[in-house]
Amino acid sequence: MQKSERVNFGSKIGAVLAAAGSAVGLGNIWRFPYETGNHGGAAFILVYLACVLMLGMPIMIAEFTVGRHSKASTGRAYKVLAPGTHWKWLGYLGVLAGFLILGYYSVVAGWTLEYILEAGVNGFADKKPEDFVVAFQSFSKDPVRPLIWLVIFLLVTHFVIVKGVKDGIEKSSKVLMPVLFILIVVLVGCSLSLPNAEKGLEFLLKPDFSKVNGDVFLGAMGQAFFSLSLGMGCLSTYASYFGKETKLGNTALSVGVIDTFVAVLAGLIIFPAAFSVGIQPDAGPSLIFITLPNVFQQAFSGVPILAYIFSVMFYVLLALAALTSTISLHEVVTAFLHEEFNLTRGRAARLVTFGCIIIGVISSLSLGVMQKYTLFDKGFFDLLDFVTAKIMLPLGGLLVCIFVGWYLKRSVSYEELTNGGKLKAGLFNLYIFLLRIVMWKDFFYFSKSERRAILFLLTLLFIFMCIWVLFPVKEESLEQDQEGIEEIKNFLAGVHEMEEKESLQYSYDKPKRIEVVLAAFDPNSADSIEFLQCGLPPFIAHTILQYRRAGGKFRTADDFSRVYGLSSEKFNILKPYIQISEAFRRKQDTLHFIKKVEKDTLAAYKYPEGTLVDLSEADTTELKKIPGIGSGIARMIVAYRKRLGGFYDTVQLKEVNYVDEDMLKWFKLGNTPIHRINANKAGLDKLRSHPYMNFYQAKVIIEYRRKKGKLKSLSQLSLYEEFTEKDLERLSHYLAFD
């Protein structure tokens, strides 16, 4: 069996930006304003945000789970996770959707290159609004020029894909995304400064619920899937390059926030500008290529050089934003062909590029010379957009929900969401609930208090929406607004004046800073002032006092070094001044002391120095008696011991989070036998559930048994590249061959 090597993203920020680059693109800037304009403005945005929260985020995490756990492309991921089932067709659906979208998406991406050239030669100068409409219609229907730009754009995408994951995808995302965000914010400011911009702002932010119907929900759901790149395999393919340390929940939240932020800002660019120059907001996908040239010309009419610079920069950055999306779409299909058919990455990329050129050519011609050829009253371009965005992507997302929510084991989802139990998963039940939204029984996975909180929040949301609809805010006249503003200004000025007087009047009452004076002190009896005079921060002084109130004592000066937050340098400075009184130095009878603690508070008791605890038998109560170990670490140690089957060396404790070298001195190993896994009988899930064995290693054992019979020793596995000498040494303590 060949070793399956898979490149990972080089950094966490690289993984986030790459995933965000897949989501952020023309779908936010071209498609979102178009859909918003067609479906009533702010009402559509509210429905869209609901779709992102209720559908987008859970499905994104689900796709991340599929990708990282399988460590395979979208086309193979479901074969790995559900071998011998029909779930593989879900992977093929994602690959097909990505391929079709890339074909017609590249047409629009190519348009940006034409406008870069047009802006570069200052072709926007002295044009009227109607001139831009005529120019765009003439260009989009041209049978040659759009095809040239289409091919060029796909070749640039091809070049990045061939460079690989780290040198191509990750590097491009780190450069392109930050620059795009900055430029969008600048353009929002320019658009809002135009005359009559407030009308566009009102259209965007004031909901009209009378226009909310089934089409709005369908459009919002399709836009959420399209914009977040759900159901097309991009996210699961990128997730297969995530490292074990990548936090799936945080990454999904970052991508969702960035994507929604860019989409709303795009609306703030388009609509104020559209109302300012007299262009209707339902002008279709061409809106961005008609409105924005007018934006630059009117916003900087007094300084033509700025209009020129911003025009060029915007369309360059728009093209680069489109590039991040085409890269992710291309990678989905390329990775599938590369892994499924054992093609070289270069050859797979060439096949994808050639196929997309064919689809792109037909899509482009359908807007011009082939416009009369339609199916279901739609041209080829519009048909692909409808089928992919409103059918294939929602269907793919629904099937992903069913797969992860119902078919995939909850333990797999929990492991991926918590990075193997290292992270908290307080919202795990909510995540599964949203994936299984059609089955309301999952509501009862929550505790009674959690269910009450959810119902309370839903009730508040319903009441708020009713008040919003039934009692709209009345518009006041401009004169009244001005009067109100002046009253507020006068009031605030009076408040500031009073604050300044009070500040001057009572400035001498402010407490003086305590000077640091090093002097002898007893940590068992000193008060907070003494600790502050020694140079200790207030929070450390508070920690010491809390420790003493709980019954804690400092028997030696070295005991003081274990105070939480106290650095070794600060302790070395204070050590000569620490004086423990004889009363606290006196040793007490151990049995008497323990009995007394049992009567008072067991939680305050800590083992004295030199105590050894049996690592194989100790429960959480016993572990918490060790200095430096609280409830959280104790539970993690016990849980990890259970997953392992027992410890064979105390050094293994360092594999548990927050356990350091100093804690090892408290432990010994007893004679408790280690629970071993029978390598000849255990199934795939049982083998890979062990912390020292991954999926591919478990697969080697299963395949060896199937082809060569039973294993007799680990030496038979040493010939496989999946196992290193360290792996075999560790596993020798946990595998049996009977």
Side-chain angles (χ1 to χ4, degrees):
M1 180 177 289
Q2 295 179 346
K3 185 178 180 178
S4 178
E5 297 183 356
R6 196 164 190 83
V7 178
N8 290 339
F9 288 119
S11 61
K12 295 180 182 179
I13 187 65
V16 172
L17 291 178
S22 171
V24 175
L26 294 180
N28 304 78
I29 304 174
W30 153 58
R31 203 172 187 280
F32 181 83
Y34 165 57
E35 292 286 347
T36 306
N38 277 345
H39 296 106
F44 175 83
I45 295 179
L46 293 176
V47 178
Y48 170 76
L49 292 175
C51 289
V52 170
L53 292 174
M54 300 296 293
L55 296 174
M57 298 299 296
I59 296 175
M60 191 184 303
I61 297 175
E63 291 202 28
F64 284 163
T65 299
V66 170
R68 189 169 72 171
H69 198 75
S70 65
K71 284 295 179 181
S73 67
T74 299
R76 294 190 70 242
Y78 296 91
K79 292 175 64 176
V80 173
L81 299 178
T85 67
H86 293 295
W87 284 110
K88 62 182 180 181
W89 294 103
L90 176 55
Y92 299 157
L93 177 65
V95 174
L96 178 62
F99 180 67
L100 295 177
I101 293 173
L102 178 60
Y104 81 86
Y105 190 91
S106 300
V107 176
V108 183
W111 294 348
T112 63
L113 300 181
E114 168 73 16
Y115 274 70
I116 292 174
L117 178 62
E118 187 74 13
V121 298
N122 203 21
F124 297 152
D126 301 325
K127 277 189 176 182
K128 299 178 180 179
E130 55 269 21
D131 296 334
F132 290 104
V133 177
V134 174
F136 176 76
Q137 291 178 350
S138 176
F139 164 70
S140 61
K141 295 180 180 180
D142 191 283
V144 179
R145 281 191 297 165
L147 303 185
I148 296 174
W149 294 124
L150 162 71
V151 173
I152 293 175
F153 203 95
L154 283 172
L155 290 177
V156 174
T157 305
H158 175 89
F159 173 78
V160 176
I161 291 295
V162 171
K163 293 286 288 185
V165 176
K166 287 186 177 180
D167 295 333
I169 299 174
E170 185 174 0
K171 283 187 177 181
S172 62
S173 300
K174 285 183 177 180
V175 175
L176 303 178
M177 298 306 297
V179 182
L180 178 65
F181 299 149
I182 295 173
L183 186 63
I184 287 179
V185 173
V186 174
L187 291 172
V188 168
C190 296
S191 182
L192 294 177
S193 65
L194 295 175
N196 299 319
E198 64 275 5
K199 294 182 180 179
L201 195 63
E202 181 183 356
F203 175 81
L204 184 66
L205 301 180
K206 186 178 180 180
D208 183 4
F209 293 103
S210 63
K211 296 185 178 181
V212 178
N213 52 32
D215 291 337
V216 173
F217 285 98
L218 184 61
M221 184 175 61
Q223 175 60 32
F225 277 79
F226 190 94
S227 183
L228 295 173
S229 299
L230 302 176
M232 61 181 72
C234 298
L235 298 177
S236 58
T237 298
Y238 275 7
S240 68
Y241 306 132
F242 287 174
K244 294 182 179 179
E245 74 285 351
T246 302
K247 301 176 181 178
L248 299 189
N250 291 356
T251 303
L253 180 61
S254 300
V255 173
V257 169
I258 292 173
D259 181 80
T260 304
F261 180 72
V262 172
V264 175
L265 287 183
L268 291 176
I269 296 174
I270 297 296
F271 292 110
F275 280 89
S276 177
V277 300
I279 298 176
Q280 295 298 318
D282 58 350
S286 61
L287 182 63
I288 192 172
F289 300 101
I290 298 173
T291 302
L292 289 183
N294 279 307
V295 173
F296 304 133
Q297 298 306 310
Q298 296 197 25
F300 305 102
S301 57
V303 190
I305 186 64
L306 289 180
Y308 171 79
I309 294 173
F310 272 77
S311 298
V312 174
M313 290 181 62
F314 176 81
Y315 284 105
V316 168
L317 267 293
L318 185 64
L320 295 179
L323 181 62
T324 61
S325 296
T326 58
I327 289 171
S328 64
L329 292 167
H330 203 299
E331 177 64 17
V332 171
V333 192
T334 300
F336 170 69
L337 296 179
H338 173 55
E339 297 178 7
E340 189 72 11
F341 299 99
N342 295 322
L343 301 176
T344 64
R345 187 173 182 86
R347 187 176 182 184
R350 286 194 295 272
L351 289 174
V352 177
T353 301
F354 179 75
C356 289
I357 288 176
I358 295 176
I359 295 177
V361 168
I362 300 174
S363 299
S364 181
L365 294 178
S366 69
L367 300 174
V369 296
M370 296 177 60
Q371 192 173 7
K372 62 181 180 180
Y373 299 103
T374 61
L375 183 63
F376 304 111
D377 295 327
K378 296 181 182 293
F380 190 73
F381 182 98
D382 295 329
L383 183 64
L384 285 181
D385 179 45
F386 177 83
V387 171
T388 54
K390 296 187 177 181
I391 297 178
M392 296 182 71
L393 299 190
L395 178 61
L398 175 63
L399 293 175
V400 170
C401 290
I402 296 174
F403 178 80
V404 177
W406 293 102
Y407 181 84
L408 199 64
K409 292 184 177 180
R410 286 173 65 95
S411 59
V412 174
S413 299
Y414 186 84
E415 178 184 352
E416 290 298 326
L417 195 61
T418 63
N419 288 2
K422 297 179 181 178
L423 304 175
K424 294 182 178 180
L427 298 178
F428 177 73
N429 285 334
L430 177 61
Y431 161 64
I432 297 295
F433 172 70
L434 292 175
L435 289 181
R436 300 177 169 186
I437 194 70
V438 295
M439 297 297 292
W440 289 95
K441 70 177 185 180
D442 278 53
F443 181 71
F444 297 97
Y445 275 117
F446 297 96
S447 64
K448 187 176 181 180
S449 59
E450 289 174 334
R451 293 198 299 269
R452 288 178 177 176
I454 293 172
L455 293 175
F456 177 72
L457 292 174
L458 291 175
T459 303
L460 285 182
L461 180 61
F462 177 76
I463 294 173
F464 176 76
M465 295 296 295
C466 291
I467 294 174
W468 195 349
V469 174
L470 298 176
F471 304 99
V473 179
K474 297 181 179 180
E475 298 182 358
E476 304 289 342
S477 64
L478 183 61
E479 291 79 11
Q480 292 175 331
D481 289 344
Q482 291 295 333
E483 291 177 1
I485 292 172
E486 290 297 327
E487 291 180 2
I488 292 172
K489 288 183 178 179
N490 294 332
F491 173 76
L492 292 177
V495 172
H496 292 318
E497 185 178 354
M498 293 177 62
E499 288 178 346
E500 291 177 358
K501 291 180 179 179
E502 291 179 358
S503 177
L504 293 173
Q505 182 179 356
Y506 299 103
S507 59
Y508 59 85
D509 292 333
K510 294 181 180 178
K512 296 181 179 179
R513 184 177 180 182
I514 298 178
E515 296 182 1
V516 177
V517 179
L518 293 177
F521 68 97
D522 186 350
N524 293 297
S525 58
D527 57 16
S528 58
I529 301 298
E530 292 182 76
F531 289 130
L532 296 177
Q533 288 178 338
C534 293
L536 294 176
F539 82 91
I540 292 182
H542 180 70
T543 300
I544 297 172
L545 295 177
Q546 277 193 321
Y547 174 69
R548 282 168 24 187
R549 283 195 293 269
K553 303 290 188 296
F554 297 95
R555 306 284 180 191
T556 64
D558 291 334
D559 290 347
F560 195 72
S561 65
R562 290 193 289 270
V563 174
Y564 178 78
L566 183 64
S567 64
S568 57
E569 294 81 4
K570 188 64 177 178
F571 171 72
N572 292 329
I573 296 174
L574 296 177
K575 187 175 181 179
Y577 301 94
I578 299 175
Q579 296 183 357
I580 308 295
S581 64
E582 190 63 29
F584 295 102
R585 289 180 179 274
R586 186 175 65 252
K587 294 185 177 180
Q588 302 180 28
D589 181 70
T590 305
L591 294 177
H592 176 71
F593 180 75
I594 294 176
K595 185 178 180 180
K596 180 180 178 182
V597 171
E598 289 177 346
K599 290 182 178 180
D600 298 332
T601 168
L602 185 61
Y605 176 71
K606 293 291 184 180
Y607 284 130
E609 288 283 346
T611 304
L612 293 177
V613 177
D614 189 348
L615 183 57
S616 301
E617 294 289 342
D619 56 13
T620 55
T621 303
E622 196 170 359
L623 291 172
K624 287 190 292 184
K625 297 177 185 177
I626 299 174
I629 295 182
S631 300
I633 298 178
R635 287 195 297 269
M636 286 191 290
I637 293 175
V638 173
Y640 192 64
R641 183 178 65 198
K642 184 178 180 181
R643 290 183 62 202
L644 281 173
F647 293 101
Y648 65 84
D649 194 338
T650 57
V651 179
Q652 292 177 277
L653 267 179
K654 293 195 293 184
E655 298 167 8
V656 180
N657 282 343
Y658 309 113
V659 175
D660 53 27
E661 186 75 29
D662 293 337
M663 293 183 184
L664 302 185
K665 64 183 180 182
W666 294 93
F667 295 98
K668 66 177 181 179
L669 287 175
N671 298 321
T672 304
I674 294 176
H675 177 72
R676 295 174 179 263
I677 300 174
N678 193 324
N680 292 312
K681 295 181 180 180
L684 181 65
D685 291 335
K686 180 68 174 178
L687 290 171
R688 71 175 184 177
S689 66
H690 196 276
Y692 289 167
M693 188 175 301
N694 58 38
F695 171 81
Y696 297 103
Q697 292 170 338
K699 195 72 173 177
V700 167
I701 295 176
I702 298 296
E703 290 294 319
Y704 186 96
R705 283 162 27 189
R706 186 174 65 85
K707 295 179 179 180
K708 299 183 180 182
K710 291 185 177 182
L711 284 163
K712 296 181 180 179
S713 68
L714 282 174
S715 61
Q716 296 170 273
L717 302 176
S718 61
L719 300 176
Y720 293 88
E721 295 182 353
E722 283 80 359
F723 293 94
T724 64
E725 292 184 4
K726 183 179 179 180
D727 293 333
L728 295 175
E729 193 279 328
R730 294 196 305 177
L731 288 172
S732 64
H733 302 277
Y734 299 102
L735 292 182
F737 303 94
D738 298 335

